[in-house]
Amino acid sequence: MSDESLLKNRKFLRFWFAEFLILLSLSMFAVYFIWIIAVNYKSVFLAGMIPAFSMLGYFIILIPEGYLLDKFNRSKIIFISTIFLAFSYSLLMFSNDLILIYIVDLLSSISSSITFDAFQTITKEILNENLYGKASAYMQFSMNLSRIVGIVLGGVSIVFQKYFPYIIFSISLISIFFNIPYKSDKRVFEKYTYGDVLKFLKRFVPFLLVVLVINGLFISIDVYSSGLIYFVLKSNSFFYTLFIIGFPVGGLIGALYGNNIAKKLENSLYLGSFIFILGIFMIFISFSRSVYIDPLLTFLMGFFVSLLNIPLNAIFLKVVPNEMIGRFNAFVALVIGGAQPLMATIFSILSSYFFLTDIMFFAGLFISIISIPAYYTIKNLLDYFSKSG
């Protein structure tokens, strides 16, 4: 996972490491509280509210965030939002009330969402175009490594619960140091209006609609992870941790592999096939009744998701003008992520009426079917931008 040009860019590396710590804390929070709530309250619905509130926080901040990132110094925004993240986690040291947990979930989601999107725009600002593919692979690598470490820390915290608030707060404090802002004169916001952004976005609408449906269905794994292991497979927190850690481990391997073939992955047939495979793996999980096989399946899913994300992120970085990337990312995330809080809530409610594995089976089936229109929308997108230069 080495690229000499990126490794020499200290500005990129320190923001990259800060983002690693922030994503680590998010994974740690989700893993810990999804299990704790499911076990303490005997409710998949209440546990499913953790990813629901997390997605809702992202949804709430999207539009104002996009404006701010295109108008003001992006490094200052990421610095302030990281301070707010640390404040949110500090509240856990005073209470573990369910309502407070949901509030912290929402607040931390808002602040971390800003840092993630700010990092994306900073990457566009400080790197040359020929490094976008490598940078995208680096992002996938750190995202999955942070999830692995976060899952381990979250799983360990389930055993040593009294240390959890202090660990997650300390991690967020360290990330503040690496997100110290820098001077930037690259601010020509007036070049593009919101109307210009919407016109540019029209080209992506078919693709975004497909991804919206896929993401909405994919959230079922997050919602049902604790219920699947605890209620269906009658197992403990160790296998719950093993199940959810399979996804980022696979993603980590996918990022390492994808880093070497980033350019080759920009192929509609490959990307459509990856989506189809993801649906098949979810179907396999719905049939599996083994705590040993399920982690292997989540590992394989993580691998292909990483291979899918690397070229898509690189394409966005290449074709979106720097002066509108903040607002563009906000609109894209609004469309793609808009279904997630709704679907997380729906999946939580459905668990009261239908068996978890039956719901996962149909979600996987829909994802596999959607791979067909996904292939054509990705192909049209790639063809358009290759012709337009």
Side-chain angles (χ1 to χ4, degrees):
M1 188 72 191
S2 62
D3 185 271
E4 189 176 352
S5 298
L6 275 182
L7 290 178
K8 287 183 177 180
N9 193 315
R10 294 183 179 180
K11 191 180 293 183
F12 171 81
L13 289 177
R14 69 179 177 88
F15 283 107
W16 178 60
F17 183 69
E19 197 59 31
F20 164 80
L21 293 175
I22 292 169
L23 292 174
L24 184 158
S25 68
L26 287 179
S27 296
M28 183 180 174
F29 182 95
V31 169
Y32 179 81
F33 281 116
I34 287 176
W35 179 266
I36 292 296
I37 292 173
V39 173
N40 290 350
Y41 293 89
K42 309 298 180 186
S43 171
V44 174
F45 172 77
L46 292 178
M49 288 296 97
I50 291 295
F53 274 107
S54 180
M55 297 300 174
L56 180 61
Y58 194 22
F59 183 78
I60 289 172
I61 199 63
L62 282 176
I63 298 302
E65 167 206 291
Y67 174 86
L68 292 173
L69 290 175
D70 283 338
K71 181 68 174 176
F72 301 105
N73 185 308
R74 294 159 177 173
S75 64
K76 289 182 180 178
I77 293 173
I78 200 172
F79 180 68
I80 294 170
S81 59
T82 310
I83 293 174
F84 185 70
L85 177 67
F87 165 76
S88 301
Y89 286 143
S90 71
L91 299 177
L92 296 173
M93 294 189 287
F94 302 100
S95 173
N96 60 353
D97 182 78
L98 184 62
I99 299 301
L100 179 64
I101 292 171
Y102 289 151
I103 291 173
V104 173
D105 188 19
L106 183 67
L107 294 179
S108 62
S109 172
I110 289 174
S111 52
S112 62
S113 297
I114 296 173
T115 67
F116 178 75
D117 289 337
F119 175 60
Q120 292 270 58
T121 58
I122 286 172
T123 298
K124 172 83 173 180
E125 187 174 285
I126 65 177
L127 293 181
N128 294 325
E129 183 177 321
N130 65 322
L131 293 176
Y132 290 163
K134 295 288 185 180
S136 180
Y138 266 62
M139 292 176 193
Q140 289 298 307
F141 176 85
S142 63
M143 180 183 70
N144 287 288
L145 182 60
S146 65
R147 288 195 65 187
I148 294 169
V149 179
I151 288 169
V152 171
L153 289 176
V156 171
S157 297
I158 293 172
V159 181
F160 304 99
Q161 296 183 21
K162 66 178 181 179
Y163 298 108
F164 173 80
Y166 303 99
I167 296 173
I168 198 168
F169 176 64
S170 299
I171 292 171
S172 62
L173 282 181
I174 296 171
S175 65
I176 294 174
F177 173 78
F178 286 95
N179 271 336
I180 294 174
Y182 61 86
K183 278 191 175 183
S184 175
D185 297 324
K186 294 183 178 180
R187 202 55 75 239
V188 282
F189 177 85
E190 293 77 10
K191 185 175 179 180
Y192 296 106
T193 65
Y194 265 107
D196 296 325
V197 177
L198 290 174
K199 287 179 183 178
F200 185 78
L201 194 65
K202 281 183 180 179
R203 175 56 54 181
F204 295 86
V205 168
F207 169 74
L208 294 178
L209 290 176
V210 171
V211 178
L212 181 150
V213 177
I214 293 172
N215 274 8
L217 296 171
F218 210 62
I219 197 67
S220 63
I221 290 182
D222 288 333
V223 174
Y224 295 149
S225 56
S226 60
L228 182 67
I229 302 299
Y230 187 69
F231 295 114
V232 178
L233 301 181
K234 310 294 183 184
S235 195
N236 55 36
S237 62
F238 171 77
F239 286 102
Y240 162 69
T241 304
L242 195 64
F243 175 76
I244 56 179
I245 206 172
F247 196 94
V249 170
L252 184 70
I253 303 301
L256 290 169
Y257 178 66
N259 181 54
N260 299 318
I261 58 168
K263 190 64 180 177
K264 294 180 181 178
L265 290 174
E266 294 178 20
N267 181 293
S268 55
L269 182 59
Y270 288 161
L271 300 180
S273 299
F274 294 161
I275 295 171
F276 176 80
I277 291 170
L278 289 171
I280 296 300
F281 285 145
M282 186 177 288
I283 292 174
F284 285 167
I285 289 176
S286 72
F287 284 115
S288 172
R289 293 296 180 271
S290 171
V291 291
Y292 300 102
I293 293 177
D294 284 357
L296 174 62
L297 293 172
T298 55
F299 168 84
L300 292 172
M301 291 180 77
F303 178 83
F304 284 101
V305 165
S306 192
L307 294 184
L308 183 66
N309 284 337
I310 288 172
L312 293 179
N313 288 340
I315 291 169
F316 284 163
L317 284 172
K318 288 178 183 177
V319 302
V320 182
N322 182 52
E323 296 82 7
M324 71 163 65
I325 193 169
R327 286 163 294 168
F328 178 85
N329 284 343
F331 279 116
V332 169
L334 181 65
V335 175
I336 293 178
Q340 292 186 339
L342 175 63
M343 290 303 295
T345 304
I346 290 174
F347 279 128
S348 297
I349 295 172
L350 286 175
S351 66
S352 301
Y353 301 95
F354 302 98
F355 201 49
L356 302 183
T357 52
D358 291 340
I359 302 172
M360 293 187 72
F361 168 78
F362 284 106
L365 182 63
F366 279 126
I367 291 175
S368 296
I369 294 172
I370 289 170
S371 67
I372 298 173
Y375 161 75
Y376 288 105
T377 55
I378 294 171
K379 185 177 186 300
N380 291 336
L381 196 65
L382 292 176
D383 289 345
Y384 173 81
F385 284 112
S386 64
K387 291 176 181 177
S388 61

